[in-house]
């Protein structure tokens, strides 16, 4: 099943079901939000699944063309956003390229990010200053139902209800100071963007295994390929990430957990973040030639199946200067 939140003038939008080919959408009979679905998943899913099947058969009443420009983030604001760093390859390149000290990975790496103002996948991205070192980060994100405290990694995967694509924007010039404080990011992590649709695990057609999405995330900047790293290369799967987050408290429905920057050691896979591109340049060439992003730049991210079908729809956004 594929789901979207469409703009309706409110902060939380309206839940819509989207066809497998992303061509059509339809509203459930009773208006609701994505958060309401996650709060009452077992009761609401059967009706939405029936609508999804009807939509794919061309038999859904009230169906209309799906316009990804009208999609908000699947959860426009979430109770909690926990972002991991689950790709060891990314950390290794940052260490090699910039002399970053090795990080203790005995436990999964995770921080709590701002979740009150997510962006839709076709929204412009307003930021205050180009000198802040604007960067993109392609990630896979999961949405959870209620997770009990102390859940183990295997059981944690049963609480993953939806999978999404995200661009976790970063302001690299602001990160060093915040990292030194040890309190986490505030200024260096502006609003995260999400792809137009969220999908259920059964929709991933065998590409979801061992708590990982076994598909590449393609990143283009101004029409130029940056990378297509495969998300299967997670060193720590989502089961471990969710279990880590729930070690000392329960997680409430609507919590989002991110993979961190997708990174792939395969030769020729490229990168999903410019920081990694720059680290590789510095480590292998002794100089950095790739700049960070500027206002007017356009960043596109998409996950496609081997047959070429778009899984989440594309993130395709332009950077703009925020009003003074």
């Amino acid at each position: 099943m594929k789901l979207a939140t469409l703009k309706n003038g409110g902060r939380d939008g309206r839940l819509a079901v989207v066809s497998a080919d992303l061509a059509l959408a339809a509203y459930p009979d009773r208006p609701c939000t994505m958060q309401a679905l996650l709060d009452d998943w077992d009761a609401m899913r059967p009706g939405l699944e029936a609508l999804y099947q009807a939509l794919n058969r061309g038999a859904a009443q009230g169906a209309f063309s799906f316009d990804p420009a009208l999609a908000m983030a699947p959860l426009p604001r979430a109770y909690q956003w926990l972002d991991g760093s689950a790709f060891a390859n990314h950390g290794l390149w940052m260490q090699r390229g910039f002399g970053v000290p090795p990080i203790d990975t005995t436990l999964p790496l995770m921080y709590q990010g701002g979740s009150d103002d997510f962006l839709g996948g076709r929204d412009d991205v307003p930021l205050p200053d180009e000198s802040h070192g604007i960067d993109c980060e392609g990630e896979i994100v999961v949405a959870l139902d209620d997770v009990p405290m102390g859940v183990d990694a295997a059981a944690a995967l049963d609480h993953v209800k939806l999978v999404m694509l995200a661009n976790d924007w970063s302001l690299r010039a602001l990160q060093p100071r915040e990292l030194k404080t040890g309190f986490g990011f505030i200024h260096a992590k502006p609003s995260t963007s999400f792809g137009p649709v969220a999908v259920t695990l059964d929709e991933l057609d065998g590409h979801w295994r061992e708590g990982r999405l076994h598909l590449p995330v393609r990143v283009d900047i101004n029409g130029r390929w940056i990378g297509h790293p495969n998300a299967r290369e997670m060193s720590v799967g989502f089961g471990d990430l969710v279990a880590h987050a729930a070690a000392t408290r329960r997680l409430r429905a609507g919590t989002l957990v991110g993979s961190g920057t997708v990174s792939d050691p395969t030769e020729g896979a490229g990168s999903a973040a410019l920081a990694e591109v720059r680290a590789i340049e510095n480590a292998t060439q002794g100089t950095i030639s790739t700049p960070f992003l500027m206002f007017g730049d356009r960043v596109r991210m998409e996950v496609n199946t081997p047959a070429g079908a778009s899984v989440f729809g594309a993130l395709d956004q332009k950077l703009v200067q925020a009003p003074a």
Side-chain angles (χ1 to χ4, degrees):
M1 183 164 56
K2 296 192 175 186
L3 301 165
T5 294
L6 299 185
K7 298 175 182 179
N8 67 350
R11 296 187 180 190
D12 299 303
R14 183 175 178 181
L15 181 70
V17 178
V18 181
S19 62
D21 62 2
L22 305 180
L24 297 173
Y27 289 123
D29 291 337
R30 180 178 297 180
C32 67
T33 64
M34 189 73 76
Q35 181 62 50
L37 169 59
L38 291 165
D39 284 338
D40 200 12
W41 182 267
D42 289 339
M44 293 184 63
R45 174 168 179 167
L48 295 174
E49 183 68 40
L51 178 57
Y52 180 63
Q53 298 302 331
L55 196 59
N56 288 329
R57 296 194 307 269
Q61 292 187 351
F64 53 91
S65 295
F66 175 62
D67 182 356
L70 300 180
M72 306 171 77
L75 267 176
R77 50 181 177 171
Y79 287 118
Q80 182 162 227
W81 164 224
L82 301 172
D83 198 13
S85 182
F87 291 86
N89 187 66
H90 180 69
L92 291 172
W93 275 119
M94 299 306 287
Q95 291 168 30
R96 286 185 59 188
F98 300 123
V100 176
I103 298 174
D104 180 6
T105 56
T106 305
L107 294 174
L109 303 175
M110 183 175 288
Y111 74 93
Q112 189 169 42
S115 61
D116 57 313
D117 183 34
F118 292 139
L119 299 176
R122 303 299 171 92
D123 295 341
D124 286 345
V125 181
L127 292 171
D129 195 325
E130 292 176 331
S131 70
H132 288 166
I134 304 168
D135 198 0
C136 57
E137 291 190 46
E139 298 196 17
I140 303 300
V141 178
V142 298
L144 310 175
D145 66 2
D146 288 321
V147 180
M149 180 169 57
V151 68
D152 64 32
L157 289 176
D158 294 334
H159 297 281
V160 173
K161 300 305 173 188
L162 296 168
V163 183
M164 299 174 248
L165 173 64
N167 185 349
D168 185 40
W169 300 97
S170 290
L171 303 179
R172 301 297 186 186
L174 304 183
Q175 284 183 340
R177 178 189 175 277
E178 293 191 317
L179 285 170
K180 288 178 182 177
T181 69
F183 280 87
F185 298 119
I186 297 295
H187 294 159
K189 284 292 185 179
S191 297
T192 303
S193 300
F194 286 81
V197 301
V199 306
T200 52
L201 299 184
D202 59 319
E203 188 67 27
L204 296 173
D205 192 27
H207 299 298
W208 177 265
R209 301 191 299 277
E210 301 171 335
R212 296 163 172 83
L213 180 64
H214 289 241
L215 288 171
V217 177
R218 182 181 173 108
V219 180
D220 295 271
I221 296 176
N222 298 327
R224 180 171 65 89
W225 175 90
I226 300 298
H228 59 266
N230 200 304
R232 70 185 174 209
E233 298 297 333
M234 288 177 78
S235 307
V236 176
F238 276 108
D240 291 298
L241 290 177
V242 174
H244 173 72
T248 59
R249 63 185 178 91
R250 62 190 178 183
L251 307 177
R252 289 315 224 172
T255 292
L256 301 180
V257 176
S259 67
T261 307
V262 176
S263 186
D264 187 339
T266 306
E267 185 175 355
S271 301
L274 292 177
E276 184 174 297
V277 173
R278 289 161 61 91
I280 293 171
E281 289 174 344
N282 208 30
T284 60
Q285 303 169 20
T287 186
I288 297 171
S289 57
T290 297
F292 285 121
L293 298 165
M294 308 290 283
F295 297 139
D297 285 345
R298 183 171 290 276
V299 179
R300 180 183 175 89
M301 296 182 179
E302 191 167 16
V303 173
N304 294 97
T305 67
S310 183
V311 177
F312 308 102
L315 283 141
D316 193 347
Q317 297 178 283
K318 184 173 70 173
L319 289 163
V320 298
Q321 185 164 21

